[in-house]
Amino acid sequence: MQYNRRNFLKHLGFIYGSLLLYSSCNGNQKSGYRIFTKEEASCLIALCEQIIPADEDPGATDAGVINFIDKQTTLRFPDDEAIFKNGIVALQAFCKEKHNCLFEQLSSVEQVSIMKDMERNKLPGEYWQKANQASFFNLVLRRTMQGFYGSPRHGGNKDYVSYRMMKLDYPLLIGQNRYKDGK
């Protein structure tokens, strides 16, 4: 068999495609997030969506706030990872024990009620041994607002949803103006 460049490229494409197909079929798919599992991300998305819900305008989910939190926690605030993960574990343990389901499966009214108690440190302390519930709530609140209203270049505010909601033009990125007057 004569092996020419065309046959080589065909076989190379077949092997590469097989590798891509195999990796998606083996059942070990990652969540698509850098630090969060799918389950953790679902809980965090539910929390963010209660802070900035979608109505006639997009909410936190539409703005990609979870991607902002994931990216910023990985790149800028690695100390927040433990707060997020421990807070989610504590919140889910509380919800499973008291409501027999996960936080994201609760009704909106129940989620808001739990979040209000969490903000005031009023959830039972036995679930919050490794995390401070008010600190966790405030961190989620702060990152949600930053992800929704911040610049899209930081990973949130997908498609400029908050700028369009507020009817703002995309702010021009102006660097440091060190060269005034041509100096």
Side-chain angles (χ1 to χ4, degrees):
M1 176 177 155
Q2 185 172 0
Y3 212 73
N4 59 24
R5 184 172 48 177
R6 181 172 295 209
N7 285 336
F8 173 75
L9 290 175
K10 276 185 191 175
H11 289 123
L12 184 63
F14 178 74
I15 291 169
Y16 184 70
S18 299
L19 289 173
L20 291 176
L21 183 63
Y22 176 75
S23 65
S24 65
C25 294
N26 66 4
N28 293 330
Q29 298 172 357
K30 292 186 176 186
S31 67
Y33 299 104
R34 296 171 186 185
I35 60 169
F36 297 115
T37 64
K38 283 183 182 177
E39 295 79 19
E40 291 168 338
S42 294
C43 178
L44 202 50
I45 288 169
L47 285 163
C48 297
E49 192 63 26
Q50 287 301 328
I51 294 170
I52 303 176
D55 47 17
E56 65 272 359
D57 294 308
T61 303
D62 300 316
V65 169
I66 183 68
N67 297 322
F68 170 83
I69 293 172
D70 187 54
K71 181 178 179 180
Q72 293 302 316
T73 303
T74 303
L75 300 177
R76 298 280 182 198
F77 308 105
D79 293 342
D80 291 349
E81 181 177 350
I83 298 170
F84 278 120
K85 288 189 176 271
N86 290 333
I88 291 169
V89 167
L91 177 61
Q92 296 293 34
F94 169 75
C95 291
K96 285 179 188 173
E97 180 76 22
K98 297 297 179 189
H99 300 281
N100 204 23
C101 64
L102 299 173
F103 178 78
E104 59 269 23
Q105 297 167 336
L106 295 171
S107 70
S108 180
V109 172
E110 291 171 319
Q111 289 179 349
V112 169
S113 174
I114 289 171
M115 290 173 71
K116 285 180 179 177
D117 288 343
M118 188 172 27
E119 182 181 18
R120 292 185 218 121
N121 262 336
K122 295 206 173 187
L123 292 177
E126 65 259 22
Y127 303 101
W128 298 90
Q129 301 296 321
K130 293 184 177 180
N132 179 302
Q133 51 190 292
S135 296
F136 171 65
F137 174 83
N138 288 323
L139 180 63
V140 172
L141 175 66
R142 189 171 51 247
R143 296 288 181 255
T144 301
M145 300 302 250
Q146 291 169 342
F148 189 79
Y149 292 108
S151 172
R153 68 187 171 115
H154 299 297
N157 197 2
K158 181 180 173 189
D159 298 330
Y160 309 100
V161 293
S162 68
Y163 296 162
R164 284 190 280 132
M165 180 184 78
M166 296 184 293
K167 301 185 181 357
L168 294 174
D169 291 330
Y170 177 70
L172 294 174
L173 180 63
I174 300 173
Q176 296 179 0
N177 193 4
R178 296 181 183 173
Y179 306 105
K180 288 182 178 178
D181 304 326
K183 295 180 183 175

